[in-house]
Amino acid sequence: MVHEPRITHNPRQCGGQPCIRGMRIRVSDVLEMLAAGVPEPEILSDFPDLEAEDIRACLRYAARRADLARLVA
C-alpha cells in the first residue's frame, strides 16, 4: 500500500478514486494536467484550495504506485 498523508480514499467520493485532502480534486486530474504541460502556478490558480505540496504529494503517490511489485502468474 502507498501511504501519502495528503492523498485520501473515500468510497463515497469520486468513485473511491484517490483525492487530495478529502476534496473532490482527484490525483489523476492533477497528474493529467501536469502531463499536458499545464504549469504548476496555473493549476494552483484554477484550484484555489490546492497547495503546492498537494501537487508534490500527487507526484510522490504516482511514483510509489508505479514502483509497486506485481506478481505475474
Side-chain angles (χ1 to χ4, degrees):
M1 173 165 260
V2 178
H3 177 69
E4 182 63 51
R6 288 179 172 259
I7 307 302
T8 57
H9 298 85
N10 181 345
R12 299 177 130 191
Q13 179 181 345
C14 295
Q17 295 293 313
C19 293
I20 301 166
R21 294 185 289 120
M23 298 183 286
R24 294 185 180 275
I25 303 172
R26 297 180 311 166
V27 169
S28 61
D29 294 333
V30 173
L31 294 173
E32 286 177 8
M33 286 185 280
L34 291 170
V38 179
E40 184 177 312
E42 187 175 332
I43 296 171
L44 295 173
S45 174
D46 289 346
F47 297 92
D49 293 327
L50 200 63
E51 300 171 359
E53 182 58 30
D54 296 324
I55 294 174
R56 287 188 289 280
C58 289
L59 291 169
R60 283 191 301 271
Y61 180 84
R64 290 180 182 142
R65 290 281 306 169
D67 197 35
L68 287 177
R70 302 270 186 220
L71 295 177
V72 179

